[in-house]
Amino acid sequence: MRGKLLTQPKVFIPRPLQPQVVERVAFRCELTMHPHDEPLTAPQLAEACREAEGVVACGMRVTQELLEHAPHLRVVANVGVGYDNIDVAACTRRRIMVTNTPGVLTEATADLAFGLLMAVARRLVECDRYVREGHWQSSRWELLWGSDLHGKTLGIFGLGRIGQAVARRARGFSMRILHHSLDRLTQAQEQELGAQFVDPETLLREADFLSLHVPLTPQTHHLIGSRELAMMKPTAFLINAARGKVVDEAALVEALRSKQIAGAGLDVFENEPQVHPGLLALPNVVLAPHVGSATSETRLAMAMLAADNLLAALDGKRPPNLVNPEALE
Ligand code: DGY
Protein backbone atom coordinates (compact mmCIF):
# COMPACT_ATOMS: atom_id res chain seq x y z
CA MET A 1 0.00 0.00 0.00
CA ARG A 2 1.27 3.47 -0.85
CA GLY A 3 1.88 5.88 2.01
CA LYS A 4 -0.17 8.79 3.20
CA LEU A 5 0.31 11.98 1.19
CA LEU A 6 1.77 14.96 3.02
CA THR A 7 -0.90 17.32 1.83
CA GLN A 8 -4.07 15.41 1.37
CA PRO A 9 -6.44 16.37 -1.45
CA LYS A 10 -10.00 17.14 -0.41
CA VAL A 11 -12.56 14.64 -1.62
CA PHE A 12 -16.33 14.61 -1.38
CA ILE A 13 -18.54 11.51 -1.52
CA PRO A 14 -22.29 12.28 -1.68
CA ARG A 15 -23.58 9.11 0.03
CA PRO A 16 -22.21 6.50 2.42
CA LEU A 17 -20.15 3.94 0.48
CA GLN A 18 -18.87 0.60 1.81
CA PRO A 19 -16.35 0.84 4.69
CA GLN A 20 -13.53 -0.71 2.62
CA VAL A 21 -13.95 2.01 0.01
CA VAL A 22 -14.14 4.78 2.57
CA GLU A 23 -10.99 3.47 4.26
CA ARG A 24 -9.12 3.39 0.96
CA VAL A 25 -10.01 6.98 0.10
CA ALA A 26 -9.68 8.36 3.64
CA PHE A 27 -6.13 6.95 3.95
CA ARG A 28 -4.90 9.22 1.20
CA CYS A 29 -7.37 12.11 1.17
CA GLU A 30 -9.18 14.52 3.41
CA LEU A 31 -12.60 12.98 3.01
CA THR A 32 -16.02 14.45 3.57
CA MET A 33 -18.87 11.98 3.07
CA HIS A 34 -22.58 12.68 3.27
CA PRO A 35 -23.73 10.19 5.92
CA HIS A 36 -27.22 9.48 4.53
CA ASP A 37 -28.24 7.41 1.52
CA GLU A 38 -30.49 10.06 0.06
CA PRO A 39 -29.81 12.60 -2.69
CA LEU A 40 -28.59 16.06 -1.79
CA THR A 41 -30.18 19.14 -3.34
CA ALA A 42 -28.23 21.09 -5.98
CA PRO A 43 -27.35 23.91 -3.49
CA GLN A 44 -26.20 21.33 -0.90
CA LEU A 45 -24.01 19.63 -3.50
CA ALA A 46 -22.58 22.97 -4.61
CA GLU A 47 -21.65 23.80 -1.02
CA ALA A 48 -20.17 20.33 -0.43
CA CYS A 49 -18.00 20.53 -3.57
CA ARG A 50 -16.70 24.08 -2.97
CA GLU A 51 -13.26 22.97 -1.77
CA ALA A 52 -13.17 19.49 -3.33
CA GLU A 53 -10.42 18.37 -5.70
CA GLY A 54 -12.12 15.04 -6.24
CA VAL A 55 -15.69 13.80 -6.20
CA VAL A 56 -16.96 10.23 -6.26
CA ALA A 57 -20.13 10.67 -8.29
CA CYS A 58 -22.45 8.06 -6.90
CA GLY A 59 -26.04 8.78 -7.87
CA MET A 60 -25.35 12.47 -8.42
CA ARG A 61 -25.53 14.81 -11.38
CA VAL A 62 -22.49 16.87 -12.28
CA THR A 63 -23.71 19.90 -14.16
CA GLN A 64 -22.03 22.99 -15.55
CA GLU A 65 -23.63 24.92 -12.69
CA LEU A 66 -22.17 22.62 -10.07
CA LEU A 67 -18.73 22.96 -11.67
CA GLU A 68 -18.98 26.72 -11.35
CA HIS A 69 -19.15 26.22 -7.58
CA ALA A 70 -16.25 23.74 -7.55
CA PRO A 71 -13.18 25.66 -8.79
CA HIS A 72 -10.64 23.20 -7.37
CA LEU A 73 -12.12 20.06 -8.90
CA ARG A 74 -9.64 17.83 -10.78
CA VAL A 75 -11.50 14.54 -11.05
CA VAL A 76 -15.08 13.26 -11.11
CA ALA A 77 -15.03 9.50 -10.51
CA ASN A 78 -18.39 8.14 -11.57
CA VAL A 79 -19.71 4.98 -9.95
CA GLY A 80 -21.31 3.43 -13.02
CA VAL A 81 -20.44 2.60 -16.59
CA GLY A 82 -22.96 5.04 -18.07
CA TYR A 83 -22.00 8.67 -17.43
CA ASP A 84 -24.95 10.57 -18.87
CA ASN A 85 -25.32 12.07 -15.35
CA ILE A 86 -22.16 14.08 -15.97
CA ASP A 87 -21.64 17.05 -18.27
CA VAL A 88 -18.42 15.64 -19.68
CA ALA A 89 -17.90 18.47 -22.15
CA ALA A 90 -18.09 21.03 -19.34
CA CYS A 91 -15.61 18.97 -17.29
CA THR A 92 -13.23 18.72 -20.25
CA ARG A 93 -13.34 22.50 -20.78
CA ARG A 94 -12.17 22.86 -17.17
CA ARG A 95 -9.59 20.07 -17.55
CA ILE A 96 -11.44 17.95 -15.02
CA MET A 97 -10.93 14.23 -15.56
CA VAL A 98 -14.06 12.05 -15.71
CA THR A 99 -13.84 8.32 -15.08
CA ASN A 100 -16.34 5.45 -15.07
CA THR A 101 -16.48 1.80 -13.96
CA PRO A 102 -16.74 -0.48 -17.00
CA GLY A 103 -16.33 -4.24 -16.85
CA VAL A 104 -17.11 -4.90 -13.20
CA LEU A 105 -20.89 -4.64 -13.63
CA THR A 106 -21.24 -6.46 -16.95
CA GLU A 107 -22.39 -9.83 -15.62
CA ALA A 108 -24.74 -8.49 -12.94
CA THR A 109 -26.46 -6.17 -15.42
CA ALA A 110 -26.77 -8.97 -17.98
CA ASP A 111 -28.28 -11.20 -15.26
CA LEU A 112 -30.88 -8.55 -14.49
CA ALA A 113 -31.74 -7.99 -18.16
CA PHE A 114 -32.10 -11.72 -18.68
CA GLY A 115 -34.08 -12.00 -15.45
CA LEU A 116 -36.53 -9.38 -16.73
CA LEU A 117 -36.79 -11.28 -20.00
CA MET A 118 -37.63 -14.53 -18.21
CA ALA A 119 -39.97 -12.82 -15.77
CA VAL A 120 -42.02 -11.17 -18.47
CA ALA A 121 -42.01 -14.24 -20.73
CA ARG A 122 -43.19 -16.56 -17.97
CA ARG A 123 -45.34 -13.94 -16.19
CA LEU A 124 -43.55 -14.56 -12.90
CA VAL A 125 -44.79 -11.41 -11.19
CA GLU A 126 -48.38 -12.22 -12.15
CA CYS A 127 -47.85 -15.80 -10.93
CA ASP A 128 -46.54 -14.56 -7.59
CA ARG A 129 -49.48 -12.19 -7.16
CA TYR A 130 -51.94 -14.94 -8.13
CA VAL A 131 -50.66 -17.26 -5.42
CA ARG A 132 -50.29 -14.59 -2.71
CA GLU A 133 -53.75 -13.18 -3.32
CA GLY A 134 -55.30 -16.61 -2.80
CA HIS A 135 -56.63 -17.06 -6.35
CA TRP A 136 -55.08 -20.56 -6.64
CA GLN A 137 -58.11 -22.53 -5.52
CA SER A 138 -58.28 -25.21 -8.20
CA SER A 139 -56.22 -26.39 -11.13
CA ARG A 140 -56.94 -24.75 -14.47
CA TRP A 141 -55.59 -25.84 -17.86
CA GLU A 142 -55.18 -22.32 -19.22
CA LEU A 143 -53.55 -20.83 -16.18
CA LEU A 144 -51.02 -18.02 -16.76
CA TRP A 145 -49.59 -19.29 -20.02
CA GLY A 146 -46.43 -17.51 -21.05
CA SER A 147 -43.97 -17.70 -23.93
CA ASP A 148 -41.15 -20.13 -24.66
CA LEU A 149 -37.60 -18.84 -24.80
CA HIS A 150 -35.97 -21.72 -26.65
CA GLY A 151 -36.12 -21.43 -30.39
CA LYS A 152 -37.12 -17.76 -30.16
CA THR A 153 -35.17 -14.82 -31.55
CA LEU A 154 -33.42 -12.41 -29.24
CA GLY A 155 -32.62 -9.06 -30.85
CA ILE A 156 -29.84 -7.15 -29.14
CA PHE A 157 -29.44 -3.43 -29.80
CA GLY A 158 -25.82 -2.70 -28.83
CA LEU A 159 -23.46 -5.68 -28.68
CA GLY A 160 -20.98 -4.10 -26.28
CA ARG A 161 -19.83 -5.71 -23.05
CA ILE A 162 -23.31 -6.10 -21.52
CA GLY A 163 -25.00 -6.98 -24.83
CA GLN A 164 -22.43 -9.74 -25.34
CA ALA A 165 -23.01 -11.08 -21.83
CA VAL A 166 -26.75 -11.20 -22.56
CA ALA A 167 -26.00 -13.05 -25.82
CA ARG A 168 -23.97 -15.66 -23.90
CA ARG A 169 -26.93 -16.26 -21.61
CA ALA A 170 -29.32 -16.52 -24.57
CA ARG A 171 -27.13 -19.17 -26.17
CA GLY A 172 -27.58 -21.30 -23.07
CA PHE A 173 -31.33 -21.00 -23.59
CA SER A 174 -31.10 -22.15 -27.23
CA MET A 175 -32.21 -18.81 -28.65
CA ARG A 176 -31.37 -17.40 -32.07
CA ILE A 177 -29.45 -14.15 -31.64
CA LEU A 178 -29.56 -11.13 -33.94
CA HIS A 179 -27.90 -7.84 -33.18
CA HIS A 180 -27.38 -4.34 -34.44
CA SER A 181 -24.51 -2.24 -33.11
CA LEU A 182 -22.53 0.74 -34.30
CA ASP A 183 -19.22 -0.89 -33.39
CA ARG A 184 -19.07 -4.26 -35.09
CA LEU A 185 -17.20 -7.13 -33.45
CA THR A 186 -14.92 -9.25 -35.59
CA GLN A 187 -16.56 -12.07 -37.53
CA ALA A 188 -14.86 -14.59 -35.26
CA GLN A 189 -16.24 -12.89 -32.14
CA GLU A 190 -19.74 -12.78 -33.59
CA GLN A 191 -19.49 -16.43 -34.54
CA GLU A 192 -18.37 -17.39 -31.06
CA LEU A 193 -21.41 -15.61 -29.60
CA GLY A 194 -23.67 -17.02 -32.29
CA ALA A 195 -24.88 -13.47 -32.98
CA GLN A 196 -25.77 -12.39 -36.49
CA PHE A 197 -25.50 -8.72 -37.49
CA VAL A 198 -28.62 -7.28 -39.13
CA ASP A 199 -29.95 -3.82 -40.00
CA PRO A 200 -32.18 -2.13 -37.39
CA GLU A 201 -35.38 -2.82 -39.30
CA THR A 202 -34.71 -6.57 -39.53
CA LEU A 203 -33.85 -6.58 -35.83
CA LEU A 204 -37.17 -4.94 -34.93
CA ARG A 205 -39.25 -7.10 -37.26
CA GLU A 206 -37.70 -10.46 -36.35
CA ALA A 207 -37.07 -10.18 -32.60
CA ASP A 208 -39.33 -12.06 -30.21
CA PHE A 209 -37.42 -10.32 -27.43
CA LEU A 210 -35.69 -7.01 -28.08
CA SER A 211 -33.07 -6.12 -25.47
CA LEU A 212 -31.46 -2.67 -25.41
CA HIS A 213 -27.81 -2.26 -24.44
CA VAL A 214 -26.77 1.09 -25.91
CA PRO A 215 -25.46 4.07 -23.93
CA LEU A 216 -27.62 7.19 -23.79
CA THR A 217 -26.27 9.69 -26.33
CA PRO A 218 -28.00 12.28 -28.53
CA GLN A 219 -28.09 9.55 -31.22
CA THR A 220 -29.80 6.94 -29.02
CA HIS A 221 -32.34 9.27 -27.38
CA HIS A 222 -35.78 7.76 -28.21
CA LEU A 223 -34.11 5.11 -30.35
CA ILE A 224 -37.31 3.15 -29.78
CA GLY A 225 -40.41 5.22 -30.49
CA SER A 226 -43.83 4.63 -32.05
CA ARG A 227 -42.36 3.95 -35.51
CA GLU A 228 -40.02 1.25 -34.19
CA LEU A 229 -42.64 -0.28 -31.88
CA ALA A 230 -45.00 -0.55 -34.85
CA MET A 231 -42.43 -2.71 -36.64
CA MET A 232 -42.26 -5.22 -33.79
CA LYS A 233 -44.31 -8.42 -33.65
CA PRO A 234 -47.51 -8.34 -31.57
CA THR A 235 -46.02 -11.28 -29.64
CA ALA A 236 -42.70 -9.52 -28.95
CA PHE A 237 -41.33 -8.22 -25.65
CA LEU A 238 -39.11 -5.18 -25.06
CA ILE A 239 -36.39 -5.36 -22.41
CA ASN A 240 -34.60 -2.19 -21.26
CA ALA A 241 -31.83 -2.28 -18.67
CA ALA A 242 -29.81 0.44 -20.43
CA ARG A 243 -31.22 3.95 -20.02
CA GLY A 244 -34.85 5.04 -19.86
CA LYS A 245 -34.50 7.87 -22.36
CA VAL A 246 -33.52 5.38 -25.08
CA VAL A 247 -37.25 4.56 -25.24
CA ASP A 248 -40.10 7.00 -25.82
CA GLU A 249 -42.06 5.94 -22.74
CA ALA A 250 -45.38 7.44 -23.82
CA ALA A 251 -45.13 5.57 -27.15
CA LEU A 252 -44.30 2.37 -25.27
CA VAL A 253 -47.36 2.72 -23.04
CA GLU A 254 -49.51 3.20 -26.12
CA ALA A 255 -47.97 0.16 -27.87
CA LEU A 256 -48.56 -1.99 -24.77
CA ARG A 257 -52.11 -0.75 -24.28
CA SER A 258 -53.05 -1.37 -27.89
CA LYS A 259 -51.30 -4.79 -27.84
CA GLN A 260 -48.93 -3.71 -30.60
CA ILE A 261 -46.34 -5.60 -28.56
CA ALA A 262 -46.91 -8.28 -25.90
CA GLY A 263 -45.05 -6.91 -22.91
CA ALA A 264 -41.98 -5.23 -21.47
CA GLY A 265 -39.35 -5.73 -18.78
CA LEU A 266 -37.97 -2.40 -17.61
CA ASP A 267 -35.23 -1.49 -15.15
CA VAL A 268 -34.86 2.10 -16.33
CA PHE A 269 -37.27 4.96 -17.00
CA GLU A 270 -37.34 8.33 -18.71
CA ASN A 271 -37.66 10.41 -15.54
CA GLU A 272 -36.40 8.27 -12.68
CA PRO A 273 -37.59 7.74 -10.05
CA GLN A 274 -40.92 8.64 -11.65
CA VAL A 275 -42.57 5.89 -13.65
CA HIS A 276 -45.19 6.62 -16.31
CA PRO A 277 -48.58 5.88 -14.65
CA GLY A 278 -49.60 3.96 -17.78
CA LEU A 279 -46.84 1.43 -17.08
CA LEU A 280 -47.95 0.96 -13.48
CA ALA A 281 -51.44 0.06 -14.66
CA LEU A 282 -50.39 -2.69 -17.09
CA PRO A 283 -50.10 -6.35 -16.02
CA ASN A 284 -47.84 -7.36 -18.91
CA VAL A 285 -44.94 -5.19 -17.71
CA VAL A 286 -42.29 -6.14 -15.14
CA LEU A 287 -40.76 -3.13 -13.43
CA ALA A 288 -37.53 -2.76 -11.44
CA PRO A 289 -36.07 0.38 -9.81
CA HIS A 290 -32.80 0.69 -11.81
CA VAL A 291 -31.05 -2.17 -10.02
CA GLY A 292 -29.06 -3.64 -12.94
CA SER A 293 -25.79 -3.54 -11.06
CA ALA A 294 -27.27 -3.88 -7.57
CA THR A 295 -25.60 -6.92 -6.06
CA SER A 296 -23.38 -6.57 -3.02
CA GLU A 297 -20.34 -7.95 -4.88
CA THR A 298 -20.80 -5.76 -7.94
CA ARG A 299 -21.56 -2.56 -6.05
CA LEU A 300 -18.39 -3.08 -4.00
CA ALA A 301 -16.33 -3.67 -7.15
CA MET A 302 -17.81 -0.54 -8.74
CA ALA A 303 -17.10 1.68 -5.75
CA MET A 304 -13.55 0.28 -5.41
CA LEU A 305 -12.84 0.90 -9.09
CA ALA A 306 -14.17 4.45 -8.76
CA ALA A 307 -11.85 4.93 -5.77
CA ASP A 308 -8.87 3.60 -7.79
CA ASN A 309 -9.68 6.02 -10.60
CA LEU A 310 -10.03 8.91 -8.17
CA LEU A 311 -6.76 8.20 -6.37
CA ALA A 312 -4.80 7.74 -9.61
CA ALA A 313 -6.05 11.08 -10.92
CA LEU A 314 -5.28 12.90 -7.67
CA ASP A 315 -1.79 11.34 -7.79
CA GLY A 316 -1.26 13.04 -11.15
CA LYS A 317 -1.53 9.75 -13.06
CA ARG A 318 -3.80 8.82 -15.92
CA PRO A 319 -6.69 6.93 -14.29
CA PRO A 320 -7.44 3.47 -15.71
CA ASN A 321 -10.96 4.37 -16.88
CA LEU A 322 -10.61 7.91 -18.15
CA VAL A 323 -13.52 8.85 -20.42
CA ASN A 324 -12.25 12.28 -21.49
CA PRO A 325 -8.53 11.98 -22.34
CA GLU A 326 -8.85 15.44 -23.98
CA ALA A 327 -8.90 16.88 -20.46
CA LEU A 328 -5.19 16.01 -20.23
CA GLU A 329 -4.19 17.73 -23.48
C1 DGY B 1 -24.44 1.98 -14.84
O1 DGY B 1 -23.36 1.59 -14.40
O2 DGY B 1 -24.50 2.75 -15.78
C2 DGY B 1 -25.66 1.47 -14.16
O3 DGY B 1 -26.82 1.81 -14.81
C3 DGY B 1 -25.69 1.95 -12.75
O4 DGY B 1 -26.07 3.29 -12.74
Side-chain angles (χ1 to χ4, degrees), residues 79-84 101 105 109 241-243 268 290 293 299 302:
V79 186
V81 64
Y83 44 86
D84 46 285
T101 60
L105 49 78
T109 308
R243 283 292 181 268
V268 289
H290 198 149
S293 61
R299 285 283 164 94
M302 290 165 73

Side-chain angles (χ1 to χ4, degrees), residues 14 33 37 50 63 148 158 207 256 258 270 305 320 325:
M33 186 168 70
D37 193 3
R50 210 158 40 89
T63 60
D148 273 341
L256 288 162
S258 61
E270 272 208 78
L305 186 52

Side-chain angles (χ1 to χ4, degrees), residues 1-4 20 23-25 27-28 311:
M1 191 187 264
R2 279 168 287 173
K4 256 180 154 46
Q20 304 92 309
E23 203 180 302
R24 182 120 147 210
V25 176
F27 184 69
R28 319 245 341 269
L311 295 175

Side-chain angles (χ1 to χ4, degrees), residues 51-262:
E51 301 288 324
E53 287 171 68
V55 165
V56 178
C58 184
M60 86 183 240
R61 299 196 70 75
V62 178
T63 60
Q64 160 94 33
E65 202 192 332
L66 176 69
L67 297 178
E68 277 159 20
H69 291 91
H72 307 288
L73 208 53
R74 292 194 279 140
V75 55
V76 174
N78 194 43
V79 186
V81 64
Y83 44 86
D84 46 285
N85 54 320
I86 297 169
D87 187 337
V88 178
C91 287
T92 304
R93 284 195 295 276
R94 291 168 180 263
R95 304 204 174 283
I96 297 169
M97 287 178 260
V98 178
T99 64
N100 69 341
T101 60
V104 291
L105 49 78
T106 301
E107 302 299 330
T109 308
D111 283 344
L112 195 276
F114 213 79
L116 286 173
L117 187 156
M118 293 186 71
V120 79
R122 297 305 305 270
R123 305 173 63 180
L124 292 179
V125 176
E126 286 177 83
C127 286
D128 179 89
R129 208 174 295 135
Y130 185 82
V131 175
R132 279 177 205 277
E133 291 177 359
H135 302 295
W136 195 25
Q137 299 296 339
S138 62
S139 83
R140 282 179 43 211
W141 170 240
E142 236 185 275
L143 180 61
L144 289 160
W145 285 1
S147 290
D148 273 341
L149 267 61
H150 74 272
K152 294 289 177 67
T153 298
L154 171 66
I156 299 179
F157 236 126
L159 199 64
R161 276 179 292 258
I162 298 171
Q164 290 173 46
V166 170
R168 284 195 294 276
R169 282 153 181 75
R171 275 206 101 176
F173 282 78
S174 307
M175 298 179 86
R176 171 183 176 236
I177 304 161
L178 302 180
H179 80 97
H180 184 81
S181 316
L182 288 185
D183 297 321
R184 286 286 299 271
L185 299 178
T186 64
Q187 229 181 344
Q189 286 170 316
E190 286 188 358
Q191 258 168 19
E192 199 186 320
L193 286 168
Q196 185 192 341
F197 180 84
V198 291
D199 60 78
E201 195 171 321
T202 306
L203 192 77
L204 291 160
R205 290 197 190 283
E206 294 200 12
D208 296 300
F209 298 89
L210 180 68
S211 197
L212 308 177
H213 299 287
V214 293
L216 176 64
T217 64
Q219 292 72 36
T220 62
H221 183 264
H222 285 190
L223 177 72
I224 304 296
S226 47
R227 184 180 154 272
E228 290 72 25
L229 290 160
M231 287 186 209
M232 292 174 69
K233 298 180 187 179
T235 49
F237 298 91
L238 178 73
I239 310 298
N240 189 6
R243 283 292 181 268
K245 287 184 167 60
V246 171
V247 176
D248 178 342
E249 217 162 73
L252 175 61
V253 169
E254 201 35 55
L256 288 162
R257 272 193 194 137
S258 61
K259 304 216 177 339
Q260 211 164 53
I261 67 168

